[in-house]
Short mmCIF file of all heavy atoms in Angstrom, two decimals:
data_model
loop_
_atom_site.label_atom_id
_atom_site.label_comp_id
_atom_site.label_asym_id
_atom_site.label_seq_id
_atom_site.Cartn_x
_atom_site.Cartn_y
_atom_site.Cartn_z
N LEU A 251 -3.56 23.84 6.65
CA LEU A 251 -4.97 23.82 6.21
C LEU A 251 -5.79 23.14 7.30
O LEU A 251 -5.39 22.10 7.83
CB LEU A 251 -5.10 23.06 4.89
CG LEU A 251 -6.47 22.86 4.22
CD1 LEU A 251 -7.39 21.89 4.96
CD2 LEU A 251 -7.21 24.16 3.96
N SER A 252 -6.92 23.74 7.63
CA SER A 252 -7.87 23.02 8.48
C SER A 252 -9.27 23.54 8.19
O SER A 252 -9.45 24.53 7.47
CB SER A 252 -7.52 23.16 9.96
OG SER A 252 -8.20 22.16 10.69
N GLY A 253 -10.27 22.85 8.77
CA GLY A 253 -11.65 23.25 8.51
C GLY A 253 -12.58 22.77 9.60
O GLY A 253 -12.26 21.88 10.38
N VAL A 254 -13.75 23.41 9.63
CA VAL A 254 -14.80 23.07 10.60
C VAL A 254 -16.11 22.99 9.83
O VAL A 254 -16.37 23.81 8.93
CB VAL A 254 -14.89 24.14 11.71
CG1 VAL A 254 -16.06 23.86 12.65
CG2 VAL A 254 -13.58 24.22 12.51
N GLN A 255 -16.96 22.03 10.19
CA GLN A 255 -18.25 21.89 9.51
C GLN A 255 -19.27 22.91 10.02
O GLN A 255 -19.41 23.07 11.24
CB GLN A 255 -18.83 20.51 9.79
CG GLN A 255 -18.04 19.38 9.20
CD GLN A 255 -18.86 18.10 9.20
OE1 GLN A 255 -19.88 18.00 8.54
NE2 GLN A 255 -18.41 17.13 9.96
N HIS A 261 -18.68 24.11 19.87
CA HIS A 261 -18.57 23.81 21.29
C HIS A 261 -17.13 23.93 21.77
O HIS A 261 -16.20 24.18 20.97
CB HIS A 261 -19.19 22.44 21.60
CG HIS A 261 -18.60 21.30 20.81
ND1 HIS A 261 -17.32 20.87 21.00
CD2 HIS A 261 -19.12 20.53 19.82
CE1 HIS A 261 -17.06 19.87 20.17
NE2 HIS A 261 -18.14 19.65 19.45
N GLY A 263 -15.00 21.76 22.60
CA GLY A 263 -14.06 20.85 21.94
C GLY A 263 -13.55 21.45 20.64
O GLY A 263 -12.35 21.41 20.36
N ASN A 264 -14.45 22.04 19.85
CA ASN A 264 -14.02 22.68 18.60
C ASN A 264 -13.09 23.85 18.91
O ASN A 264 -12.10 24.07 18.21
CB ASN A 264 -15.21 23.23 17.81
CG ASN A 264 -16.26 22.20 17.47
OD1 ASN A 264 -17.45 22.42 17.69
ND2 ASN A 264 -15.85 21.06 16.93
N GLY A 267 -9.80 22.23 20.58
CA GLY A 267 -9.15 21.25 19.71
C GLY A 267 -8.71 21.86 18.38
O GLY A 267 -7.77 21.37 17.75
N ALA A 268 -9.40 22.92 17.94
CA ALA A 268 -9.10 23.47 16.61
C ALA A 268 -8.81 24.98 16.65
O ALA A 268 -7.70 25.41 16.35
CB ALA A 268 -10.26 23.16 15.67
N VAL A 286 -16.22 23.98 5.98
CA VAL A 286 -16.38 22.84 5.07
C VAL A 286 -17.87 22.52 4.84
O VAL A 286 -18.40 21.53 5.30
CB VAL A 286 -15.57 21.60 5.53
CG1 VAL A 286 -14.08 21.88 5.39
CG2 VAL A 286 -15.87 21.18 6.96
N HIS A 289 -18.65 19.16 3.17
CA HIS A 289 -18.71 18.06 4.13
C HIS A 289 -20.04 18.07 4.88
O HIS A 289 -20.60 17.02 5.20
CB HIS A 289 -17.55 18.14 5.13
CG HIS A 289 -16.28 17.57 4.59
ND1 HIS A 289 -15.28 18.33 4.05
CD2 HIS A 289 -15.86 16.29 4.51
CE1 HIS A 289 -14.29 17.55 3.65
NE2 HIS A 289 -14.62 16.30 3.92
N TYR A 372 -16.47 10.78 2.44
CA TYR A 372 -16.11 12.01 3.15
C TYR A 372 -14.59 12.18 3.41
O TYR A 372 -14.02 13.23 3.12
CB TYR A 372 -16.90 11.97 4.47
CG TYR A 372 -16.70 13.04 5.49
CD1 TYR A 372 -17.76 13.87 5.86
CD2 TYR A 372 -15.49 13.21 6.15
CE1 TYR A 372 -17.60 14.83 6.84
CE2 TYR A 372 -15.33 14.17 7.12
CZ TYR A 372 -16.39 14.98 7.46
OH TYR A 372 -16.22 15.94 8.42
N GLN A 376 -11.81 15.13 2.37
CA GLN A 376 -10.94 15.78 3.38
C GLN A 376 -9.47 15.74 2.93
O GLN A 376 -8.75 16.72 3.08
CB GLN A 376 -11.12 15.12 4.75
CG GLN A 376 -10.31 15.79 5.83
CD GLN A 376 -10.78 15.44 7.25
OE1 GLN A 376 -11.84 14.87 7.44
NE2 GLN A 376 -9.99 15.78 8.22
N ASP A 379 -9.09 18.42 0.42
CA ASP A 379 -9.05 19.76 1.05
C ASP A 379 -7.61 20.12 1.43
O ASP A 379 -7.19 21.26 1.28
CB ASP A 379 -9.83 19.77 2.38
CG ASP A 379 -11.30 19.48 2.22
OD1 ASP A 379 -11.83 19.65 1.11
OD2 ASP A 379 -11.93 19.07 3.24
N ILE A 380 -6.93 19.13 1.95
CA ILE A 380 -5.58 19.37 2.49
C ILE A 380 -4.55 19.42 1.36
O ILE A 380 -3.76 20.35 1.24
CB ILE A 380 -5.22 18.24 3.49
CG1 ILE A 380 -6.20 18.26 4.67
CG2 ILE A 380 -3.77 18.35 3.95
CD1 ILE A 380 -6.20 16.99 5.53
N VAL A 388 -1.75 20.15 9.73
CA VAL A 388 -3.21 20.18 9.86
C VAL A 388 -3.60 20.19 11.35
O VAL A 388 -3.61 19.15 12.00
CB VAL A 388 -3.85 18.96 9.14
CG1 VAL A 388 -5.37 19.07 9.16
CG2 VAL A 388 -3.35 18.85 7.71
N VAL A 390 -5.90 19.86 14.25
CA VAL A 390 -7.21 19.21 14.46
C VAL A 390 -7.25 18.57 15.85
O VAL A 390 -6.22 18.41 16.49
CB VAL A 390 -7.47 18.06 13.43
CG1 VAL A 390 -7.97 18.57 12.10
CG2 VAL A 390 -6.25 17.18 13.27
N GLY A 391 -8.45 18.16 16.25
CA GLY A 391 -8.60 17.37 17.46
C GLY A 391 -8.26 15.92 17.20
O GLY A 391 -8.13 15.48 16.04
N ASP A 393 -9.93 13.28 17.23
CA ASP A 393 -10.88 12.47 16.44
C ASP A 393 -10.57 12.47 14.94
O ASP A 393 -11.14 11.67 14.21
CB ASP A 393 -12.32 12.93 16.70
CG ASP A 393 -12.56 14.38 16.28
OD1 ASP A 393 -11.59 15.13 16.10
OD2 ASP A 393 -13.74 14.75 16.12
N GLN A 394 -9.71 13.40 14.50
CA GLN A 394 -9.41 13.47 13.06
C GLN A 394 -8.13 12.72 12.69
O GLN A 394 -7.73 12.71 11.53
CB GLN A 394 -9.29 14.93 12.61
CG GLN A 394 -10.57 15.73 12.77
CD GLN A 394 -11.70 15.14 11.95
OE1 GLN A 394 -11.54 14.82 10.78
NE2 GLN A 394 -12.86 14.95 12.57
N HIS A 397 -8.39 10.23 9.83
CA HIS A 397 -8.56 10.85 8.51
C HIS A 397 -7.23 11.39 7.97
O HIS A 397 -6.99 11.40 6.77
CB HIS A 397 -9.60 11.98 8.58
CG HIS A 397 -11.00 11.48 8.79
ND1 HIS A 397 -12.04 12.31 9.16
CD2 HIS A 397 -11.54 10.24 8.68
CE1 HIS A 397 -13.15 11.59 9.27
NE2 HIS A 397 -12.87 10.34 8.99
N GLY A 429 -6.11 20.33 24.75
CA GLY A 429 -7.51 20.40 24.28
C GLY A 429 -7.84 19.42 23.18
O GLY A 429 -8.88 19.52 22.53
N ALA A 430 -6.95 18.44 22.93
CA ALA A 430 -7.11 17.57 21.76
C ALA A 430 -8.34 16.66 21.84
O ALA A 430 -8.87 16.23 20.82
CB ALA A 430 -5.86 16.72 21.57
N ARG A 431 -8.78 16.34 23.06
CA ARG A 431 -9.92 15.44 23.18
C ARG A 431 -10.76 15.86 24.39
O ARG A 431 -10.51 15.41 25.51
CB ARG A 431 -9.42 13.99 23.32
CG ARG A 431 -10.52 12.99 23.17
CD ARG A 431 -9.96 11.60 22.89
NE ARG A 431 -11.01 10.59 23.00
CZ ARG A 431 -11.92 10.34 22.08
NH1 ARG A 431 -11.93 11.03 20.96
NH2 ARG A 431 -12.85 9.43 22.27
N ILE A 432 -11.71 16.74 24.16
CA ILE A 432 -12.59 17.22 25.22
C ILE A 432 -13.81 16.28 25.25
O ILE A 432 -14.40 15.99 24.22
CB ILE A 432 -13.02 18.68 24.95
CG1 ILE A 432 -11.81 19.61 24.81
CG2 ILE A 432 -13.99 19.17 26.02
CD1 ILE A 432 -10.94 19.75 26.03
N LYS A 441 -16.97 11.57 23.51
CA LYS A 441 -16.44 12.84 23.02
C LYS A 441 -17.50 13.95 23.13
O LYS A 441 -18.68 13.68 22.87
CB LYS A 441 -16.05 12.59 21.56
CG LYS A 441 -15.35 13.69 20.86
CD LYS A 441 -15.05 13.29 19.43
CE LYS A 441 -16.26 13.36 18.52
NZ LYS A 441 -15.97 13.30 17.09
N MET A 442 -17.10 15.15 23.50
CA MET A 442 -18.04 16.28 23.41
C MET A 442 -18.35 16.47 21.93
O MET A 442 -17.44 16.56 21.11
CB MET A 442 -17.42 17.56 24.00
CG MET A 442 -18.40 18.72 24.03
SD MET A 442 -17.74 20.22 24.81
CE MET A 442 -17.80 19.83 26.53
N LYS A 444 -21.32 17.90 18.69
CA LYS A 444 -22.51 18.66 18.28
C LYS A 444 -23.72 17.77 18.19
O LYS A 444 -24.85 18.22 18.31
CB LYS A 444 -22.28 19.25 16.88
CG LYS A 444 -21.36 20.43 16.81
CD LYS A 444 -21.20 20.84 15.34
CE LYS A 444 -19.91 21.59 15.12
NZ LYS A 444 -19.51 21.69 13.73
P1 TYM B 279 -15.65 18.99 12.90
O1 TYM B 279 -16.42 20.09 12.25
O2 TYM B 279 -16.38 17.83 13.46
O3 TYM B 279 -14.78 19.59 14.08
C1 TYM B 279 -13.96 20.72 13.89
C2 TYM B 279 -12.68 20.59 14.69
O4 TYM B 279 -12.98 20.41 16.07
C3 TYM B 279 -12.29 19.26 16.58
N1 TYM B 279 -13.11 18.64 17.63
C4 TYM B 279 -12.66 18.38 18.86
N2 TYM B 279 -11.47 18.60 19.46
C5 TYM B 279 -11.34 18.23 20.76
N3 TYM B 279 -12.35 17.65 21.47
C6 TYM B 279 -13.55 17.42 20.92
N4 TYM B 279 -14.54 16.88 21.63
C7 TYM B 279 -13.75 17.79 19.56
N5 TYM B 279 -14.81 17.70 18.70
C8 TYM B 279 -14.39 18.23 17.53
C9 TYM B 279 -12.14 18.36 15.37
O5 TYM B 279 -11.09 17.43 15.56
C10 TYM B 279 -11.85 19.35 14.28
O6 TYM B 279 -10.48 19.70 14.28
N6 TYM B 279 -13.65 16.30 9.21
C11 TYM B 279 -13.54 17.54 9.94
C12 TYM B 279 -13.60 18.78 9.10
C13 TYM B 279 -12.66 18.82 7.94
C14 TYM B 279 -11.26 19.04 8.02
C15 TYM B 279 -10.80 19.05 6.68
C16 TYM B 279 -10.38 19.23 9.07
C17 TYM B 279 -12.98 18.70 6.63
N7 TYM B 279 -11.87 18.84 5.87
C18 TYM B 279 -9.44 19.24 6.35
C19 TYM B 279 -9.02 19.40 8.76
C20 TYM B 279 -8.58 19.40 7.43
C21 TYM B 279 -14.68 17.60 10.95
O7 TYM B 279 -15.69 16.98 10.80
O8 TYM B 279 -14.49 18.49 11.94
#
Side-chain angles (χ1 to χ4, degrees):
L251 178 290
S252 197
V254 175
Q255 294 195 64
H261 56 68
N264 303 130
V286 292
H289 278 98
Y372 176 118
Q376 183 162 348
D379 297 339
I380 298 165
V388 185
V390 278
D393 62 342
Q394 297 300 313
H397 290 166
R431 191 162 169 78
I432 303 296
K441 186 180 77 166
M442 185 176 284
K444 285 177 204 164

